[in-house]
Every structure is written in structure tokens, then in C-alpha cells.
């Protein structure tokens, strides 16, 4: 096996194929989970199911129902469930050695070199990688530490609508007040500027960009801007939880200029948008802007293994031995999986596939919006797609999104939601989704939209 089978061979042949869901085995496991698991568990509240196995862009539950997976563990499974090319290396590595802290290993050094190869702009060939904890939040914490270490500043500029994680620093720069409200005080000196979202702000793209950049510039350069000792700018090149918001042209370039003028690092959170999700290795490449620091996780672990990394320019590699650490910075199985996943994407040209298939999916949804005013906007890049749902008055309609998600689940398609009001259908399918599965999934999603919005109009 050189680069694994083609994507058409990765899927269950019967997807989608569902009976009445959730089935009895799922219901039993859900009941047990409610009894013994944490009350913080959230995902089964929206999709009540217990999964058993998966292949490619398809997944099967404990009752034998088979689904088309259009959210891939929230962007984790870019090369699909149980990709055999990745798992071949996983089994080989797991039988030999699993954990090495930060002692050198071929797996570790190969992944660092691979990340350097695909890094954007002048980071390619000029970057360092630090591994830490296993989650995206850990990579964000590392980037905050790195920015502070290099600038000796304390203040952080972030954006409204942002999501960066659930640890203290990451929550501090996250925008969702309800999410972090019970855990304050968090980091001091964090300022959130507007992120350009022309639809929600009722502005033209240029107006939205100009307004956002003026606010950021004022934070740095207005004598009364409020942030005395800035350390860096932290931004998602495409906001995920915020509603799959791809900023208009000029925004990231403007941030690059502001960061340079004020001698602070520009940090891109590519945890959800990176590793091919947008149809480029990194979403920033759509805008031809290179960050100083970039966070990665989710799909980095290849096929669902926990791994995060912070990739940064050589010039920032000023910290000393032990200045950043984490027990799982030597998860060599995840590192082998990550390298294999990158190779699979390269060998099967999945970046181009994601761009083409994403165009098809957005076109199908926009066609619905031509005649259905409840689809107010369709946006995104590659297979990072959002469709905004509104009610008869044009207000965000999260209940409609819930109903569409339920309909899709009952008909064998798994989708997720996003946005400030939970009213954005968020599609994050594995990059190995085939054209045939995409067409079938979109048939069901379109039926769901038409069925739910028609029922809403009747009520």
C-alpha cells in the first residue's frame, strides 16, 4: 500500500440506510450515559445516537443504521473514518512505542518536516513546531505564551464571534460570553474587536472590513485605546463556531499591516480551518497572508488521535528549555497518523477535490435560497460551509436549524450547527466525501429545508 485506496473504496456501500432512530441499543447507551457520565456532555442532546464504526465519510451506529457524515467529528476526520493508509502506520507504531515525551523519534521529526513543507508563505522552511497538550486549546495557550514571551506584553487582541477553546487563556480570547461567564475572571487585558461579517452587520464587504480594521488600529494607536501593553493579535482566518464566516478580502492583510506596524505577532487559529478543510492547506492561503504563529489540532492527529501543534516563525524561537511543556507532546502514534493523513491528502489531490465539491454543495444550497427566503446566505471555502437560516422577519432562527438537523438525522445524514444564535447549518464533511455521497446528502438536506420551512409557514 503506497498511498492507500481511492476515496470511493473507503465508504459503506449502503449509506444512508436508517430505520427508526435512535434505535434500542442507542437508547440504552444514551440512558446509561445520562446516569454515569458528566452533565457537561452536550453533543447527544442534538443527535441522540451511539456510534459503533465508520468508514470514510460514512458511519454506523450500534443498531446498524448507516449515515453520511457531514461533520466529521467537528472537523477532526479530514481523511475520513478508519482510513486504511493512516491505520496501517498507526498499528505498526502502536505495536512498538506510543509515548516519548519530547525525546526524538522518526515519527516526531517526520511530522515536523511535513508541517514545514506545507506551511504557508514564508513559514515554509522558516518555521519551528512546538507540541504540547492534546487539544486545540493547548495550542492556543502555547501561542499566547509565545507572544507574551517575545513581546513582554500582556494585552491580547481577539475578535467577536471567535472560538479558541475551553482552557483559561483560550476562553479569554473566545467571544462567547455565556460559554465563559461562570469562569471569570480570566486573563486581564483582552479586547475583542469586530470581525467583518457583512450579512449580520448589514454592511458592504468593504464597509465591514474598514470598520473592523479601524477598531483594531484604534486599540493599538489611539492614546485612549485602552490596551497599554499589547502582545499579539489572535484571529481565525475563517470563523467556525461563529458561523463559518469567511472574511472579505483585505481584512487579514490589514491585520498583517497593523501587527507589523506595532511589532506584535499575528496569530492565526487554524484548528478547524486548517489541513485542507478550506480547499487549501491553510485558510490563510486564500488571502495570501502569512501569520507569525499558527495553531493546529483536530485533523492533525490523522484519524481522530489527540494532537496539537503551534507552528511559528524561526525568529520567535527565543524561549529556553522547558519554557513550554506538556505530557502528551510525544504521542508518536498520533504523529505517525498525522504524517500519513497529509500524505493521503497530497496523493489523492484532496485539496482540489474539496474546492470542487464545496462549490457544488454551496451552489445546491444557493439554488434553494433563490426560492426560499429562509436561506439568507450561503458561505465558506472548500468543505467548510455554512447556510444561514432566518424566520419570516429575517431574524436568526435557531429552532429551524434544530428541526433541519433532526430531519437529516432521521433520514441518515449528520449535520451540525454554528453561529451566535445557532442558526447556521455547518457542513464539515471529511475531505474523502465522494461526489455521489455529496449529491445524496444534499438531496436530503434540501428536502429537510423545504419540509421544515414549509411547516413553519403553515404554523
Amino acid at each position: 500500500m503506497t498511498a492507500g485506496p481511492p476515496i470511493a473504496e473507503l465508504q459503506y456501500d449502503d449509506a444512508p440506510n436508517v430505520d427508526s432512530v435512535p434505535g434500542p441499543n442507542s437508547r440504552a447507551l444514551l440512558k446509561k450515559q445520562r446516569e454515569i457520565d458528566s452533565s457537561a456532555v452536550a453533543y447527544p442532546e442534538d443527535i441522540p445516537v451511539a456510534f459503533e464504526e465508520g468508514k470514510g465519510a460514512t458511519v454506523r451506529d450500534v443498531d446498524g443504521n448507516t449515515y453520511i457524515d457531514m461533520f466529521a467529528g467537528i472537523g477532526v476526520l479530514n481523511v475520513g473514518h478508519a482510513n486504511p493508509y493512516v491505520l496501517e502506520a498507526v498499528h505498526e507504531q502502536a505495536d512498538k512505542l506510543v509515548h516519548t515525551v519530547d525525546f526524538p523519534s522518526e515519527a516526531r521529526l517526520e511530522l515536523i518536516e511535513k508541517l514545514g513543507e506545507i506551511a504557508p508563505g514564508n513559514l515554509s522552511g522558516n518555521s519551528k513546531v512546538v507540541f504540547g497538550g492534546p487539544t486545540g486549546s493547548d495550542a492556543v495557550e502555547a501561542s499566547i505564551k509565545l507572544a507574551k514571551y517575545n513581546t513582554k506584553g500582556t494585552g491580547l487582541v481577539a475578535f467577536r464571534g471567535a472560538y479558541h477553546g475551553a482552557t483559561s487563556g483560550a476562553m479569554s480570547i473566545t467571544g462567547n460570553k455565556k460559554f465563559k461567564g461562570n469562569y471569570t475572571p480570566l486573563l486581564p487585558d483582552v479586547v475583542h474587536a469586530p470581525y467583518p461579517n457583512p450579512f449580520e452587520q448589514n454592511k458592504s464587504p468593504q464597509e465591514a472590513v474598514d470598520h473592523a480594521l479601524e477598531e483594531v488600529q484604534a486599540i493599538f494607536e489611539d492614546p485612549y485605546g485602552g490596551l497599554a501593553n499589547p502582545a499579539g493579535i489572535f484571529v481565525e482566518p475563517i470563523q467556525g463556531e461563529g458561523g463559518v464566516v469567511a472574511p472579505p478580502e483585505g481584512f487579514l492583510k490589514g491585520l498583517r499591516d497593523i501587527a507589523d506596524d506595532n511589532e506584535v505577532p499575528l496569530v492565526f487559529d487554524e484548528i478547524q480551518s486548517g489541513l485542507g478543510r478550506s480547499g487549501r492547506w491553510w485558510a490563510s492561503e486564500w488571502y495570501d497572508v502569512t501569520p507569525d504563529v499558527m495553531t493546529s489540532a483536530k485533523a492533525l492527529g490523522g484519524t481522530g488521535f489527540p494532537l496539537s501543534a503551534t507552528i511559528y516563525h524561526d525568529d520567535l524561537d527565543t524561549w529556553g528549555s522547558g519554557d513550554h511543556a506538556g505530557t502528551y507532546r510525544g504521542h508518536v502514534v498520533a504523529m505517525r497518523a498525522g504524517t500519513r493523513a497529509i500524505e493521503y491528502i497530497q496523493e489523492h489531490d484532496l485539496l482540489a477535490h474539496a474546492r470542487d465539491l464545496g462549490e457544488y454543495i454551496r451552489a445546491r444550497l444557493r439554488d434553494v435560497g433563490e426560492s426560499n427566503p429562509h436561506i439568507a446566505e450561503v458561505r465558506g471555502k472548500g468543505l467548510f460551509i455554512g447556510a444561514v437560516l432566518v424566520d419570516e422577519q429575517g431574524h436568526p432562527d435557531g429552532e429551524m436549524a434544530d428541526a433541519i438537523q433532526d430531519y437529516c438525522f432521521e433520514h441518515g445524514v449528520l449535520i451540525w450547527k454554528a453561529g451566535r444564535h445557532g442558526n447556521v447549518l455547518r457542513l464539515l464533511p471529511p475531505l474523502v466525501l465522494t461526489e455521489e455521497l455529496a449529491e445524496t446528502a444534499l438531496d436530503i438536506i434540501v428536502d429537510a429545508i423545504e419540509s421544515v420551512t414549509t411547516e413553519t409557514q403553515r404554523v
Side-chain angles (χ1 to χ4, degrees):
M1 187 183 298
T2 56
I7 64 174
E9 296 180 13
L10 299 181
Q11 327 293 337
Y12 287 126
D13 293 334
D14 62 337
N17 182 14
V18 297
D19 199 351
S20 178
V21 293
N25 294 326
S26 277
R27 290 198 299 272
L29 288 173
L30 289 163
K31 180 176 182 293
K32 186 173 183 179
Q33 183 181 45
R34 286 191 294 271
E35 292 169 350
I36 68 173
D37 207 340
S38 168
S39 60
V41 166
Y43 285 95
E45 294 175 357
D46 292 281
I47 299 181
V49 66
F51 297 114
E52 185 167 56
E53 56 185 345
K55 288 182 67 177
T58 57
V59 64
R60 191 167 284 160
D61 70 17
V62 292
D63 295 286
N65 298 299
T66 309
Y67 307 84
I68 301 174
D69 183 359
M70 298 291 282
F71 72 91
I74 308 300
V76 168
L77 298 158
N78 282 13
V79 296
H81 297 269
N83 186 296
Y85 182 66
V86 178
L87 290 181
E88 177 189 58
V90 165
H91 295 310
E92 179 185 272
Q93 183 64 54
D95 286 340
K96 295 193 301 183
L97 187 65
V98 172
H99 179 66
T100 64
V101 196
D102 58 6
F103 290 102
S105 65
E106 287 187 4
R108 179 190 191 90
L109 300 179
E110 285 174 359
L111 180 56
I112 291 172
E113 289 178 339
K114 206 67 176 172
L115 290 170
E117 175 188 324
I118 66 172
N122 64 6
L123 279 183
S124 182
N126 299 292
S127 62
K128 299 289 186 181
V129 175
V130 62
F131 300 105
T135 73
S137 299
D138 297 306
V140 172
E141 298 289 346
S143 71
I144 292 172
K145 290 169 65 176
L146 184 65
K148 288 186 172 184
Y149 193 96
N150 276 275
T151 63
K152 309 307 178 188
T154 59
L156 310 176
V157 177
F159 292 86
R160 297 170 201 161
Y163 179 82
H164 295 285
T167 51
S168 182
M171 272 200 295
S172 299
I173 58 174
T174 289
N176 188 331
K177 293 187 287 187
K178 180 180 178 182
F179 176 70
K180 61 187 184 179
N182 291 322
Y183 309 107
T184 55
L186 298 168
L187 294 185
D189 283 347
V190 176
V191 178
H192 288 83
Y195 191 96
N197 184 338
F199 172 77
E200 291 189 4
Q201 295 163 351
N202 195 27
K203 298 178 184 289
S204 72
Q206 190 61 56
E207 289 172 337
V209 168
D210 289 346
H211 174 63
L213 293 177
E214 286 168 5
E215 290 290 318
V216 176
Q217 191 159 12
I219 291 168
F220 282 94
E221 299 176 14
D222 184 336
Y224 282 74
L227 195 64
N229 298 297
I233 300 172
F234 296 76
V235 64
E236 295 161 277
I238 298 176
Q239 285 194 340
E241 298 294 327
V244 193
V245 183
E249 289 287 340
F251 174 61
L252 296 183
K253 284 193 174 183
L255 292 183
R256 177 72 275 171
D257 291 341
I258 293 170
D260 290 342
D261 290 345
N262 292 277
E263 299 181 335
V264 298
L266 177 62
V267 182
F268 285 172
D269 183 338
E270 292 266 14
I271 291 165
Q272 190 169 143
S273 60
L275 291 166
R277 169 58 49 199
S278 74
R280 307 282 186 192
W281 280 118
W282 311 102
S284 63
E285 293 179 282
W286 284 102
Y287 301 96
D288 194 26
V289 178
T290 304
D292 301 297
V293 184
M294 185 171 68
T295 60
S296 180
K298 286 192 182 289
L300 181 63
T303 186
F305 287 99
L307 183 66
S308 75
T310 304
I311 305 160
Y312 57 94
H313 196 277
D314 285 345
D315 292 346
L316 297 175
D317 195 39
T318 58
W319 45 17
S321 173
D323 280 341
H324 183 67
T327 300
Y328 287 99
R329 65 191 186 276
H331 192 336
V332 288
V333 175
M335 291 169 180
R336 284 290 303 277
T339 298
R340 278 293 182 100
I342 292 171
E343 290 173 351
Y344 190 88
I345 291 170
Q346 290 174 322
E347 291 296 321
H348 294 269
D349 201 13
L350 294 188
L351 299 183
H353 178 70
R355 294 193 296 270
D356 293 343
L357 202 57
E359 285 293 338
Y360 164 75
I361 293 172
R362 284 189 294 275
R364 284 285 307 269
L365 293 171
R366 285 178 180 134
D367 285 345
V368 177
E370 290 290 327
S371 57
N372 189 327
H374 293 286
I375 300 294
E377 185 177 45
V378 177
R379 58 202 185 200
K381 304 277 190 186
L383 289 174
F384 198 6
I385 299 163
V388 181
L389 295 165
V390 298
D391 63 17
E392 298 284 350
Q393 288 74 43
H395 300 139
D397 197 329
E399 291 183 2
M400 186 179 293
D402 290 338
I404 291 170
Q405 183 182 53
D406 292 344
Y407 181 105
C408 289
F409 169 54
E410 292 163 4
H411 290 79
V413 174
L414 305 175
I415 64 173
W416 211 251
K417 301 166 298 181
R420 286 174 164 85
H421 310 284
N423 67 311
V424 179
L425 299 181
R426 177 171 41 160
L427 305 182
L428 299 169
L431 309 186
V432 299
L433 181 73
T434 63
E435 294 176 6
E436 292 77 14
L437 284 172
E439 185 173 4
T440 301
L442 264 292
D443 288 344
I444 292 170
I445 293 170
V446 169
D447 286 346
I449 294 169
E450 297 293 2
S451 175
V452 168
T453 57
T454 298
E455 185 62 30
T456 300
Q457 290 166 355
R458 288 195 188 118
V459 174

